[in-house]
Amino acid sequence: MGAVDGDEGAVAPERRGAAFARAEGSNGRPVARVLLDSSLPQLDHLFDYAVPAELADDLRVGQRVRVPFRSRDRRSFGYLIEFAERSDFGGELSPIADIVSLVPQLTPEVWRLARAVADRAGGSAGDILRLAIPNRQLRVEKKHLAAPASEDSAQATANAIPDASPEYQIADELVAGARLALTSSHGPERLHTGEWVGSWAAQLARLAIAVHAFGRSAILVAPDYRDLDQLRDALAALGHPEIVRVDSRQSNAERYASFLRALDPEPCIVLGNRSAVYAPAHELGAIIMWDDGDPVLAEPLTPYVHARDAALVRAGQSGAGLFFASHARSSEVQRLVELGYVRAQRNPPRRARIVHADASMAPDAFAGRVPEFAARTIREGLRSGPVLVQVATPGYAPVAVCGDCGDLARCGACGGPVGFRVVGRASCRWCGEHAEAWRCPSCDGRRLEQRGMGSARTVEQFERQFEGARVILSDGEHPRESVDARPALVVATRGAEPLAAGGYRAVVLLDAERLLSIETLRAGEDCLRWWENAAALTAPDGICLMASGGGPVVRAFVTGRTEEWLHGELRDRHALRYPPAVRVASVSGGPEEVDRALQQLAGLPGVDHLGPTPIPPGGPAKTPAGLVRAIVRFDYGQGAEVATRLRGALVADAAGSSSRTRGRAPGRARPEALRLRFDDRGVFDG
């Protein structure tokens, strides 16, 4: 027994690091409790192992260790969670085999968080820890431990934010545990370094630095890399270039180096995407989250915990402050505001000038892709700077129909919708299958016609309609982070709009009817978020034009009464028992498996379910035939009980499946195996 060699080699004892010194040792206690690194739900509990004498001085809570499992010759990895004086196990305990790393990677705070959010979502703590702790990189670890301790920069940054500033006052509340929500102002802000960022990024950077000046850590969470880059530039311009960045675009070595820096016993500013909420920040003072309504912050890996929910749990456990900022508040945060759990900041945000181009303003209807009034707005804007046009979908034409009977074209492989990503070449929008051999099931026709306009087709038409203008495309396949202040017509899909130096002279929003008709419970609030984020890119003296559409959502956006609309939306969802008025869990699998799980919930007050109903085979996930799904709805107060009972059904299903999976390839789950997903954002999507 001893330290593991090779790629998992141990760090020399003389370089154990500050984390080792702070972590709890065995102190003579003979039992170590270990969480195995396993995705099997039946193994999601602590196992007792003996503390061997040769490792007793080096073992610490939070270390990654290797232990025998099921036999002395078979080893599994895990985390040492705690020491104990005795074990309830009646037999002889196997000893811990090896210490993978002397660095305690799992802090007690992060362990409590992982356990709590996993239990809330009916999942395994080990799955959360795989999101929280990156793969170990031996060379990076040795380099980090050999480096001298960095100086505390809290005092250096204290002078960057004046005591009388709004951010300092908010930070004072946050480090005392306040929970706040802010609707951020529109418009860009120029840093003294010359870069342009959204004013929201500059404000959140000042707030994070103010929290750090109190001697506390701050975690900044944002949806994607473009948001993170703006926050990074704003932090650097304010004299705080040394941030701990946790980003999915980092290499394994970069991410592990950032993780080790966050482990150091000194306050820091952590900047990252959804997994940053699990960073082991020392003396956490505040979690600051930008645009929590962005679906990118919903974790796609089991147990599917949204970063907002993890932040709420962590703030409650640690006493840290919580700050939600956005241009359009999510329905979840609006619910917390109405409950009084989160306090809304009452200073009214600065908004761009927003105009609705209804029929009275454009009586001559359409001239090409946009109404004539919108075309005039584009031409006027192009005289002095860039103009942004937001469109609904990428590609050339989002919809393909049969050229003979007009029926919508569906993919023969997965049943998904067919569209034209490029001119003349149709493919499935779900699985990407090309449609050269497509045949209409209604009339046996083989000719496809284009319907609608995607971003590429809009660019093509604009090059003809606005001859001589520089036309730039920004979408998922052609991303642009920023454009300069020269005149240009920028066509961008929702969420892919680049930042313009000084702001856009005009922002034109197209396809409102198409966006509002998306078959999802959240179509209205998603549209408000897309439109507000685009309007926020407008120059202070520019104009944002809603070029089409009508109804309460458009009216709420144009008039700036989005919170009033959200209040009414929540009222309707309460009446219909839709989230976030209630919580939901998707229970899927074979009919017998789902039925057994639902039986565990019988008699629970405040709990009902819809279904089970058959899951259509195929689709983006290539779902096999014969599966069903039920949607369980439950009051928040019943969340712990529902999660416990459904988790028990999942464990029972997994434990009883071994006899049913003989002959199946290792690691392949049964198609009919029970699956749970709590708080699924798309559970009511069409």
Side-chain angles (χ1 to χ4, degrees), residues 551-634:
V553 181
V554 170
R555 188 162 53 249
F557 167 69
V558 173
T559 60
R561 304 172 76 172
T562 57
E563 290 183 31
E564 182 179 315
W565 180 88
L566 269 176
H567 176 76
E569 179 75 2
L570 276 177
R571 183 183 60 244
D572 293 343
R573 294 192 197 178
H574 272 287
L576 298 171
R577 286 182 62 79
Y578 282 151
V582 295
R583 291 186 64 196
V584 295
S586 172
V587 183
S588 59
E592 294 181 3
E593 286 79 0
V594 171
D595 185 61
R596 282 195 295 267
L598 295 177
Q599 289 175 13
Q600 302 301 312
L601 304 177
L604 272 182
V607 180
D608 65 72
H609 64 83
L610 306 174
T613 57
I615 301 176
K622 300 190 184 331
T623 303
L627 302 186
V628 300
R629 183 181 72 167
I631 299 171
V632 178
R633 303 186 296 188
F634 52 96

Side-chain angles (χ1 to χ4, degrees), residues 373-550:
F373 180 82
R376 290 198 300 269
T377 302
I378 291 172
R379 292 189 183 96
E380 290 172 6
L382 286 173
R383 293 174 183 170
S384 55
V387 172
L388 171 67
V389 177
Q390 183 197 72
V391 298
T393 52
Y396 191 76
V399 177
V401 300
C402 175
D404 296 326
C405 70
D407 279 1
L408 289 175
R410 290 281 175 181
C411 175
C414 73
V418 174
F420 290 83
R421 296 193 68 84
V422 296
V423 181
R425 189 171 187 180
S427 61
C428 177
R429 291 169 55 192
W430 283 358
C431 69
E433 180 81 11
H434 293 300
E436 284 90 348
W438 178 86
R439 297 180 68 171
C440 178
S442 299
C443 70
D444 205 35
R446 300 188 181 186
R447 184 169 54 89
L448 288 171
E449 290 186 355
Q450 302 165 358
R451 291 290 185 274
M453 290 197 181
S455 55
R457 194 176 185 185
T458 302
V459 167
E460 181 183 276
Q461 290 217 5
F462 279 178
E463 287 174 339
R464 295 195 299 266
Q465 187 175 1
F466 303 99
E467 188 176 353
R470 184 168 59 115
V471 183
I472 298 172
L473 173 62
S474 180
D475 57 18
E477 294 184 357
H478 313 87
R480 291 286 294 262
E481 284 195 57
S482 61
V483 295
D484 56 38
R486 294 178 298 161
L489 182 51
V490 180
V491 177
T493 51
R494 59 192 192 276
E497 303 91 348
L499 185 72
Y504 289 98
R505 305 307 306 164
V507 171
V508 178
L509 306 175
L510 300 181
D511 304 329
E513 300 93 337
R514 188 187 303 174
L515 293 175
L516 287 168
S517 66
I518 295 175
E519 294 182 356
T520 170
L521 176 67
R522 297 175 178 268
E525 64 178 287
D526 282 344
C527 283
L528 287 177
R529 189 177 62 80
W530 294 325
W531 297 337
E532 289 283 355
N533 286 348
L537 301 174
T538 310
D541 57 347
I543 182 175
C544 176
L545 177 67
M546 173 61 73
S548 62

Side-chain angles (χ1 to χ4, degrees), residues 43 62 78 102 124 171 188 249 349 357 367 369 372 376 404 500 531 556 578 580 645:
L43 301 183
L102 290 176
S124 298
R249 301 180 79 197
R369 179 68 169 99
E372 180 54 34
R376 290 198 300 269
D404 296 326
W531 297 337
Y578 282 151
R645 295 192 184 195

